[in-house]
Amino acid sequence: METNQLISGIRHRLMRSGEPTLTGFNQITTIKSLREHLQVAIELEHSTIPPYLFALYSIRENTNDASARAIKGVVMEEMLHMILACNILNAIGGKPAISHRDFVPKYPTYLPHSNEAFKVSLQKFSRPAVDTFLKIEKPGGKDARPEPDHYASIGQFYEAIVDGLKRLAAQGNIFTGDRSRQIRPEQFYGGGGGLIEVYDQATAEEAIFEIVGQGEGIDGTIEDNNHKLFGEDVEYAHYFRFNEIYKEQYYKPTDTPKSGPTGDKFPVDWNQVHNVKENIKMSDFKEGTEERNMMHQFNKRYCDMLRVIHETVNGKREKLEEAVMIMYQLKYLAQGLMNVPMGNGLYAAPSFEYVE
Amino acid sequence: MENKEYDVVIVGSGIAGSIVAKTLTQAGKQVLLLEAGLEAGMAFDTEGAYKNYQDYMRSYYTALAKVPNAPYPDVKDAQSPNVLDMAQINGTLDKGYFVQKGKLPFASDYARAAGGTTLHWLGTCLRMLPNDFKMRSVYGQAVDWPINYAYLKPYYEMAEREIGVASDVSDQRYPNVGDDFFGKEYVFPMYKIPQSYIDKSFIEGLAGLEISLNGDTYLPWCTSTPQGRNSTPNEKYRHAATVWNTTTQKLELQAFPKKSDVYVPVGAIWDPYAGQRCEGNASCVPICPVQAKYNALKTLKSAKKEHLTLISQVVATKINIDTSTGNITGVAYKKYEHPDSKNYTEGVAKGKIYVLAANAIENAKILLASEACKNSKVVGCNLMDHAVLLTWGLMKDKVYPFRGPGSTTNIPTFRDGKFRKDHAAWISPIDNWGWGWPTGSPDTDLDHAVSTLNLYGKDLRKHIGDQLSRQLLLHFECEQLPEKANRVTIDKNYLDNIGNYRPVITYNVDDYTLKAFKASKSVSDQIFAGMGVQDYTNYPSNEPDYTTFDKQGYVFRGAGHVVGTHCMGTTKENSVVNDKQQAWDHQNLYLVGAGNMATLGTSNPTLTLAALSFAAAENILKALK
């Protein structure tokens, strides 16, 4: 039984995949292409994490609790999605590549394989930042079709992957991956929703439902119905959580996606934010300065973490513990940077650049 | 609420009350739960729960003495005892909430707040040993329980699921227990919490050390301590929930529906993503900042909301008794307006069955105020606690205390043995918090180094680095036998802010326990000598619980294990409740909590009282049929 109707909506849409009316798009027809697209999926999930973390870190300690918790929850789910995508790729005999120069986007950037409608920046917690987050998580809309290469919504992209999974599975067993490469729930935690071990079509689709359901949560087809959508037990989708911040208002249990949030005022203090430089780079500082070293240290740890995660999803799943330890350090390193003045009232921040 | 008759009225939202409330509501019963503390924390909305807990955290950070109750609101209308009020007694000690009239002060506290004392418990989850239930027949001491270990075993499993206990069965080795203690297939919901570095050093040091006690030779061993805090789920654990089976009329552990399902650690009540693993914050007592440690609010939150009515700021004052049938007809209460005001409204809550779950001392107070359970003449008697003897010293090498949860390892060797004919058994936890408990480390070490030794700069750093990193603290938590003279009474001369009774406590420690001080101190001396630990233990005669035995002075502390006062037993003359935890004198009254325990054993009582609470819930469901 599906308790979250937002997710059941997306499930319904994903179920449609493979119907005759949907043959007109650029389909995924080879296992090689499917693996490539899942690698993109991993990169796509990861590409959202630095901007969310950047905004989260920029919020002053003990302020904007509700917003900080909403963003934190979303970041954790993005991490879950990234690992879920790794599990799917591992299940079909692929090898996730997490730690290489091109894995870390250079912000501002378009989302990988998107229709390049908007760029994503590293921005402090602010209205424009949340506006970008809304664009990232925006639901697909009623007539959106699967789209592996130039999608407008992340849901379309995954729909194309589900379609490819189904087509290829019908031609023979594609789930040839070693199950010992799967990250299991006991290794992964704190990411909201269970981690799913993927070994067949059903578990692969379950994993994708989890990803898309948590992100967009909804499509146009249920926009018009009047079901109760925002009960307090429903951990609703990212889009709606960000929309509460943007509109500075909570959803009420009786609200619909169309009505928008009409509940109590959602407390946001846009001033309780470190005034950090947007899309900052290490090259903004002179080589050899302490500030530059701090930036480098953060990026080094970030890339260390990616390396550990790479090992984790390539047969050493017990390594995940190590990555968690690094995540704690990253927060403190980022907070340190945000106290470094750059002139003009601006402060430094982590740049999320790839370093060896 | 007065117009409504509930199936069950429960007094107290600690672990006992919450387990009964959850079990009954999930079985479809209508439950009214009365909590004496503030609403804080009971709120089902995540925002409220979060804000409230952050307030607790702020109080904790600013408190000068970070005692167990430091983070929690001090409410005059429903006061909690505070260990800072303990002092030596000359006649009467009338300070804080307790009135103490015994030879020695009762030195433990509890929290009157939503979630009860699990807010500040350490989280140790040890089962009692089989012999703990039959002290009379095996050792000729105290009494036997009317139930035994085998009876309680399935309920222990339910409690371990509810709390979410992290431990490895293969590690657990106790004296005088068979292979069936856990059962061959049993696993805990989560793997053990990693043992600390200090534990590892200690375990190495203890290996092979021969200890002589009462002319016998022992080879003490260490085991990891089962704990109610989140760690890595054990994929072999297969229990999804505890459910009421209407056909068999039993509570049963239900298996996960799918093979791929695994136990999911229960995170913070405001955010399921927080607290999924213990983060080693090391402030377990008094407060876990991320709620990786279990507290009863988690159980309360998983009760079936539609069937549960929660009312806070309601202090049960007495139960009304129909003198012709002995049945309870209501719980009379006072609802205060503001935490410290003298204004309150009175009312009576009505149900078919009544459950007192308000801590052993509070339960006794309510029974005494109501003149209930009079046949037994032991209401309020048999108050017990673990008398904790501490020993401390400096290890040879740096062992780096102050890391991880309070205690992750214990020596179980002396939890049972023939010596119990003569003196108390004990458990020895190894502490991860340096000398914090006896001396106030690390703050006091710094103070001493600066003000007394006049150290500064590099010398100061070196001194602190050398001293603090070698601190070792052992506990010897000695059992206490039920004694009629150790008791809670009430006196109309000692009332609280809204005219309710304050507990008047008479307490002492008898020779059975004192002998264990001497015995355990000699074990400690042998361990310290064998491991080259430089002993710093001292027992100043001005400490509240200073006592002497065989010409030696000892200082013991309360363990926070408030047990006894309405013991379970075999007859209505020798006990307050029967083996169903039902009051002998009042058919529709059940008492739950550590108050029911007939003897103490050497386990921290929470797991046992949680297991007993499941058993009580099952009995109540049977009675409600």
Side-chain angles (χ1 to χ4, degrees):
Chain A
M1 195 191 70
E2 187 59 71
T3 51
N4 187 339
Q5 293 176 37
L6 298 175
I7 293 179
S8 68
I10 210 73
R11 181 165 301 199
H12 173 72
R13 196 182 71 193
L14 289 168
M15 294 296 185
R16 288 189 329 224
S17 308
E19 285 172 17
T21 51
L22 293 172
T23 49
F25 69 97
N26 187 15
Q27 295 166 343
I28 297 171
T29 53
T30 65
I31 188 82
K32 183 165 173 282
S33 167
L34 184 58
R35 286 176 190 157
E36 280 166 7
H37 279 87
L38 277 162
Q39 173 64 30
V40 173
I42 295 165
E43 289 171 21
L44 168 62
E45 296 300 344
H46 168 260
S47 69
T48 63
I49 292 172
Y52 291 158
L53 279 182
F54 191 96
L56 176 63
Y57 291 152
S58 75
I59 294 174
R60 288 188 190 278
E61 281 250 72
N62 300 319
T63 71
N64 286 306
D65 282 345
S67 303
R69 279 192 298 126
I71 300 172
K72 192 174 116 194
V74 171
V75 179
M76 287 174 156
E77 288 177 1
E78 298 299 353
M79 294 177 191
L80 171 75
H81 297 169
M82 184 174 136
I83 301 293
L84 281 170
C86 290
N87 269 2
I88 304 171
L89 180 54
N90 268 321
I92 61 166
K95 286 196 170 64
I98 306 286
S99 177
H100 57 91
R101 185 165 288 281
D102 298 331
F103 187 78
V104 184
K106 294 177 181 68
Y107 298 94
T109 182
Y110 296 115
L111 292 182
H113 276 220
S114 73
N115 65 354
E116 306 198 343
F118 63 95
K119 277 193 172 181
V120 179
S121 286
L122 298 178
Q123 286 172 291
K124 68 178 181 185
F125 178 66
S126 59
R127 273 182 177 283
V130 179
D131 186 44
T132 305
F133 298 170
L134 284 166
K135 285 179 186 153
I136 295 173
E137 305 286 354
K138 191 173 163 45
K142 198 182 251 170
D143 302 317
R145 61 177 200 175
E147 190 55 80
D149 297 316
H150 303 286
Y151 60 86
S153 82
I154 292 176
Q156 286 175 288
F157 174 73
Y158 278 105
E159 205 161 339
I161 290 179
V162 172
D163 178 73
L165 275 168
K166 279 185 177 165
R167 178 173 305 101
L168 290 163
Q171 295 164 12
N173 181 29
I174 55 169
F175 294 95
T176 55
D178 183 349
R179 274 182 76 166
S180 71
R181 292 171 66 86
Q182 292 288 312
I183 310 301
R184 288 177 42 86
E186 59 267 25
Q187 279 104 34
F188 188 91
Y189 65 94
L195 191 70
I196 295 154
E197 187 184 358
V198 178
Y199 49 85
D200 60 10
Q201 182 72 22
T203 48
E205 286 187 34
E206 204 183 321
I208 291 177
F209 292 148
E210 179 90 18
I211 295 172
V212 182
Q214 282 188 341
E216 310 178 358
I218 192 163
D219 77 346
T221 56
I222 57 168
E223 258 197 37
D224 297 321
N225 80 24
N226 282 323
H227 285 299
K228 274 190 173 185
L229 292 178
F230 299 102
E232 61 173 320
D233 282 341
V234 180
E235 185 59 55
Y236 48 87
H238 299 176
Y239 181 84
F240 301 98
R241 282 189 248 169
F242 286 143
N243 206 29
E244 285 187 329
I245 302 176
Y246 193 75
K247 299 270 170 64
E248 299 185 35
Q249 202 161 12
Y250 283 105
Y251 280 101
K252 273 199 314 205
T254 48
D255 285 342
T256 64
K258 207 173 187 176
S259 75
T262 70
D264 292 344
K265 191 174 155 42
F266 187 103
V268 184
D269 187 345
W270 301 107
N271 295 319
Q272 288 293 349
V273 178
H274 294 280
N275 191 23
V276 292
K277 186 167 190 264
E278 187 172 322
N279 293 320
I280 191 170
K281 300 282 175 231
M282 280 194 293
S283 57
D284 290 340
F285 297 95
K286 278 201 197 94
E287 196 96 49
T289 58
E290 195 183 339
E291 295 88 334
R292 167 84 173 227
N293 289 343
M294 286 171 76
M295 298 279 286
H296 186 270
Q297 207 191 346
F298 178 92
N299 287 327
K300 175 76 171 56
R301 281 319 264 162
Y302 191 74
C303 294
D304 286 347
M305 181 187 71
L306 291 177
R307 271 186 284 279
V308 175
I309 295 176
H310 180 81
E311 291 175 47
T312 302
V313 296
N314 281 283
K316 289 186 179 163
R317 54 190 176 193
E318 68 284 353
K319 282 257 178 185
L320 200 55
E321 249 176 52
E322 241 175 82
V324 173
M325 293 304 182
I326 302 179
M327 290 175 204
Y328 280 94
Q329 296 171 8
L330 286 175
K331 182 184 166 189
Y332 298 121
L333 290 170
Q335 284 172 336
L337 278 169
M338 289 181 176
N339 288 316
V340 175
M342 298 181 69
N344 301 328
L346 287 176
Y347 287 80
S351 62
F352 293 92
E353 291 169 275
Y354 188 83
V355 296
E356 292 295 339
Chain B
M1 66 185 160
E2 283 190 45
N3 301 327
K4 190 166 172 187
E5 189 183 284
Y6 294 86
D7 290 315
V8 178
V9 176
I10 302 172
V11 178
S13 69
I15 185 168
S18 292
I19 283 176
V20 176
K22 174 180 176 173
T23 311
L24 297 183
T25 54
Q26 289 194 341
K29 304 303 173 194
Q30 293 291 337
V31 171
L32 172 66
L33 182 62
L34 308 177
E35 168 54 47
L38 306 179
E39 176 167 335
M42 283 208 303
F44 280 132
D45 72 294
T46 49
E47 210 54 44
Y50 176 75
K51 285 215 166 72
N52 170 65
Y53 207 74
Q54 295 315 304
D55 282 345
Y56 288 172
M57 289 299 297
R58 268 187 285 276
S59 304
Y60 162 65
Y61 288 135
T62 52
L64 288 176
K66 307 209 186 292
V67 294
N69 270 332
Y72 310 106
D74 179 23
V75 177
K76 273 196 189 143
D77 294 356
Q79 228 182 330
S80 297
N82 193 320
V83 291
L84 296 174
D85 294 326
M86 310 303 166
Q88 290 190 348
I89 305 173
N90 290 311
T92 300
L93 175 68
D94 179 4
K95 191 178 173 214
Y97 179 52
F98 287 162
V99 180
Q100 304 234 35
K101 292 193 159 179
K103 240 183 124 184
L104 292 169
F106 184 77
S108 284
D109 64 4
Y110 48 92
R112 293 173 81 194
T117 310
T118 53
L119 290 174
H120 72 218
W121 74 317
L122 177 58
T124 300
C125 281
L126 293 156
R127 296 185 187 187
M128 288 178 71
L129 303 181
N131 283 345
D132 295 340
F133 297 89
K134 35 188 188 184
M135 289 293 287
R136 170 57 58 183
S137 45
V138 180
Y139 299 116
Q141 293 289 351
V143 291
D144 286 359
W145 290 44
I147 56 172
N148 59 20
Y149 177 76
Y151 167 89
L152 212 51
K153 193 172 157 188
Y155 304 106
Y156 269 131
E157 294 183 1
M158 292 174 201
E160 281 157 356
R161 206 213 76 83
E162 186 62 39
I163 292 171
V165 177
S167 183
D168 293 353
V169 170
S170 59
D171 266 20
Q172 300 303 307
R173 189 182 142 212
Y174 309 130
N176 301 332
V177 302
D179 289 344
D180 56 347
F181 185 74
F182 288 108
K184 257 192 193 139
E185 302 294 313
Y186 190 70
V187 294
F188 287 93
M190 292 172 281
Y191 291 107
K192 72 175 177 186
I193 299 279
Q195 286 164 278
S196 65
Y197 185 78
I198 192 169
D199 291 351
K200 285 172 193 158
S201 308
F202 186 86
I203 291 165
E204 272 172 36
L206 191 70
L209 204 65
E210 285 188 3
I211 300 288
S212 75
L213 179 68
N214 313 323
D216 292 312
T217 302
Y218 291 83
L219 272 171
W221 68 91
C222 292
T223 179
S224 62
T225 303
Q227 293 160 64
R229 50 175 53 79
N230 289 332
S231 79
T232 306
N234 188 331
E235 67 283 359
K236 292 194 192 75
Y237 187 78
R238 301 314 306 154
H239 300 312
T242 301
V243 293
W244 169 242
N245 183 329
T246 47
T247 316
T248 59
Q249 295 281 294
K250 274 180 173 306
L251 285 179
E252 290 168 0
L253 279 165
Q254 199 173 50
F256 284 119
K258 283 190 294 177
K259 213 180 140 215
S260 58
D261 289 334
V262 289
Y263 176 85
V264 179
V266 183
I269 56 165
W270 65 83
D271 177 3
Y273 306 156
Q276 287 232 327
R277 298 288 189 280
C278 172
E279 299 178 0
N281 279 295
S283 66
C284 321
V285 180
I287 188 164
C288 172
V290 295
Q291 288 197 350
K293 184 187 72 176
Y294 169 86
N295 67 61
L297 297 172
K298 297 186 182 188
T299 294
L300 199 57
K301 202 186 171 197
S302 57
K304 195 163 185 177
K305 267 179 268 178
E306 303 88 307
H307 292 171
L308 181 63
T309 307
L310 290 172
I311 309 175
S312 57
Q313 304 192 185
V314 164
V315 190
T317 50
K318 61 183 269 216
I319 48 178
N320 298 332
I321 303 164
D322 177 339
T323 45
S324 60
T325 61
N327 274 346
I328 308 304
T329 59
V331 176
Y333 61 79
K334 291 177 180 172
K335 180 167 174 59
Y336 54 89
E337 263 176 70
H338 306 293
D340 300 334
S341 83
K342 288 194 182 292
N343 298 330
Y344 58 83
T345 52
E346 287 182 283
V348 178
K350 288 182 175 290
K352 297 188 181 94
I353 286 180
Y354 298 86
V355 178
L356 294 187
N359 176 285
I361 287 176
E362 297 301 313
N363 274 359
K365 238 180 61 182
I366 297 168
L367 294 174
L368 290 165
S370 321
E371 299 192 1
C373 304
K374 276 171 82 175
N375 272 322
S376 74
K377 300 191 176 59
V378 292
V379 173
C381 299
N382 306 315
L383 177 66
M384 292 173 266
D385 189 5
H386 284 115
V388 186
L389 195 76
L390 302 177
T391 63
W392 58 100
L394 290 181
M395 300 271 278
K396 272 189 298 195
D397 300 315
K398 293 189 175 181
V399 290
Y400 304 104
F402 301 100
R403 292 175 184 200
S407 176
T408 38
T409 296
N410 69 81
I411 306 169
T413 314
F414 304 99
R415 291 186 61 190
D416 192 35
K418 61 179 187 202
F419 56 79
R420 281 175 110 179
K421 286 180 185 160
D422 186 45
H423 65 71
W426 66 80
I427 187 167
S428 306
I430 292 132
D431 203 287
N432 286 333
W433 293 338
W435 298 351
W437 197 358
T439 74
S441 292
D443 310 24
T444 47
D445 300 284
L446 182 64
D447 189 54
H448 177 74
V450 174
S451 354
T452 310
L453 304 178
N454 291 317
L455 294 172
Y456 57 90
K458 267 188 189 160
D459 293 341
L460 176 63
R461 281 209 300 279
K462 190 176 175 301
H463 173 80
I464 292 292
D466 180 59
Q467 295 283 305
L468 279 175
S469 57
R470 295 195 292 137
Q471 289 186 350
L472 170 73
L473 175 67
L474 297 183
H475 311 195
F476 297 86
E477 308 211 352
C478 303
E479 73 184 317
Q480 203 174 7
L481 295 179
E483 287 287 332
K484 216 174 159 183
N486 286 340
R487 65 188 300 182
V488 180
T489 55
I490 52 172
D491 180 336
K492 61 179 182 334
N493 293 314
Y494 298 108
L495 301 177
D496 71 9
N497 201 38
I498 53 171
N500 286 323
Y501 289 107
R502 287 166 57 195
V504 179
I505 294 176
T506 314
Y507 182 73
N508 198 6
V509 173
D510 72 2
D511 280 2
Y512 188 75
T513 303
L514 290 171
K515 277 185 203 166
F517 288 171
K518 185 180 175 185
S520 58
K521 182 66 169 60
S522 104
V523 169
S524 177
D525 290 346
Q526 292 174 67
I527 291 175
F528 280 16
M531 288 173 54
V533 175
Q534 202 180 336
D535 199 343
Y536 277 78
T537 309
N538 71 86
Y539 300 128
S541 59
N542 60 353
E543 291 275 345
D545 273 315
Y546 175 82
T547 183
T548 54
F549 179 74
D550 206 6
K551 294 173 204 142
Q552 270 300 320
Y554 300 93
V555 170
F556 69 95
R557 273 107 179 150
H561 303 160
V562 186
V563 173
T565 74
H566 48 79
C567 297
M568 182 189 287
T570 46
T571 71
K572 62 179 172 184
E573 286 77 33
N574 73 6
S575 57
V576 181
V577 298
N578 61 24
D579 59 357
K580 296 186 178 64
Q581 301 174 69
Q582 179 188 34
W584 286 107
D585 294 355
H586 315 283
Q587 224 189 341
N588 65 342
L589 175 65
Y590 289 78
L591 306 179
V592 295
N596 285 344
M597 293 169 62
T599 57
L600 180 54
T602 51
S603 310
N604 309 45
T606 302
L607 184 75
T608 299
L609 84 85
L612 284 167
S613 300
F614 276 109
E618 184 180 88
N619 294 328
I620 291 165
L621 283 166
K622 274 187 208 164
L624 277 171
K625 197 176 113 185

